[in-house]
Amino acid sequence: MAIEQSIPPVVYQTVKTKMLDDEHVAGIERFRDLNPELSFVVYDEPETDSYMHDVWSKHPVYEVYQRALFGQIKADIFRLCVLNDRGGYYCDINKAAYINWPSLHEREDHALLSFDFVDYLSFPSVRLAGELEFPHQLFAQWGFGFTPGHEITSSAIEEIVQRAPFFTGTQFRDVRNAIFALSAPAMLTDVIRSFLESNGFSGVAIAGKYFHGTGVSRIPGSHRVPEKIVHYTQAR
């Protein structure tokens, strides 16, 4: 049953392969059952590559996407690009927030955000900090929603392009922090803070921390995949 709202009622997700563990699938289905108004579109790796080539090959972010050494960076870029094109929600395939997502915002809202549990060493301006519920935390990058062509998604894409030269050919002691700064929560938090500073909070729904505590960092069974790869958090 479709609903009328500014954020298109579709959830986009990415996965390396659609061969998922049964327990993982059960967790995904629980999330879907709580959101009967939403449709779900899952892209595997070849499909995200094809989408980026077909739609974004003339944009400089596509070169960053192609040269990325970690799948996480590609997934970060893809989610921003597809929501910038189409609008809707994004949720990491190994995570979920077991709550009805449209109930977290007003129908006319143009953005749905939530805070992560991860502390951010960079503190916002004092003025903005006074308006944020959790000024010490990163905004969650694994789950959010936007209208098409949103300033946050378009600005985040441009920010990745601007930052990429500073990460090319550079060695990092902590790969996780480098990815966070280039394409993931730290970059996104910077962009969101800048947007809120300039535009205020009107039309932006912020669902507390981890979607009011309903989020799970890893759906049971999601760690069991056919092809074992080194996760970026363990890379050196």
Side-chain angles (χ1 to χ4, degrees):
M1 178 173 62
I3 53 175
E4 292 290 333
Q5 59 178 38
S6 297
I7 298 174
V10 56
V11 180
Y12 294 96
Q13 298 181 287
T14 60
V15 66
K16 187 172 182 62
T17 170
K18 292 180 182 178
M19 298 295 291
L20 302 179
D21 182 84
D22 288 347
E23 188 178 17
H24 185 187
V25 171
I28 294 171
E29 289 178 345
R30 178 187 170 196
F31 175 43
R32 292 185 177 191
D33 288 344
L34 289 166
N35 291 275
E37 316 96 321
L38 306 180
S39 57
F40 289 78
V41 180
V42 180
Y43 285 81
D44 63 19
E45 196 171 68
E47 289 169 335
T48 58
D49 288 346
S50 177
Y51 179 89
M52 291 300 297
H53 174 269
D54 293 345
V55 183
W56 287 84
S57 59
K58 297 188 185 327
H59 192 285
V61 78
Y62 181 62
E63 183 186 354
V64 183
Y65 178 89
Q66 283 187 303
R67 293 191 294 113
L69 298 179
F70 293 91
Q72 179 63 40
I73 299 173
K74 291 188 173 186
D76 293 340
I77 293 173
F78 172 79
R79 73 191 66 178
L80 293 170
C81 289
V82 73
L83 290 198
N84 193 73
D85 290 334
R86 301 176 177 178
Y89 306 96
Y90 175 85
C91 182
D92 277 355
I93 198 74
N94 66 343
K95 294 180 173 60
Y98 290 124
I99 190 170
N100 180 266
W101 281 30
S103 72
L104 296 172
H105 60 85
E106 301 297 329
R107 293 291 177 260
E108 65 273 14
D109 284 345
H110 53 78
L112 171 64
L113 305 169
S114 184
F115 286 99
D116 209 322
F117 286 120
V118 181
D119 293 335
Y120 190 18
L121 297 180
S122 176
F123 194 69
S125 69
V126 173
R127 182 179 71 81
L128 182 61
E131 300 182 65
L132 293 172
E133 185 179 6
F134 301 104
H136 304 94
Q137 260 69 49
L138 292 167
F139 279 97
Q141 191 245 10
W142 61 265
F144 45 55
F146 296 104
T147 52
H150 199 281
E151 185 177 333
I152 289 177
T153 54
S154 58
S155 296
I157 292 166
E158 295 302 326
E159 189 67 21
I160 291 171
V161 172
Q162 295 298 318
R163 294 188 184 195
F166 299 97
F167 290 78
T168 300
T170 304
Q171 292 187 353
F172 294 92
R173 182 185 61 83
D174 191 321
V175 173
R176 173 181 179 270
N177 285 345
I179 293 176
F180 271 32
L182 171 62
S183 64
M187 178 281 300
L188 184 65
T189 298
D190 290 342
V191 170
I192 292 172
R193 287 176 176 178
S194 178
F195 175 87
L196 295 175
E197 287 266 23
S198 300
N199 300 279
F201 289 75
S202 178
V204 179
I206 304 179
K209 195 180 293 188
Y210 245 58
F211 294 91
H212 299 307
T214 65
V216 292
S217 60
R218 186 171 289 276
I219 296 175
S222 61
H223 65 288
R224 293 191 287 268
V225 293
E227 182 182 349
K228 187 67 176 175
I229 58 174
V230 176
H231 195 262
Y232 73 99
T233 56
Q234 276 77 53
R236 294 292 178 266

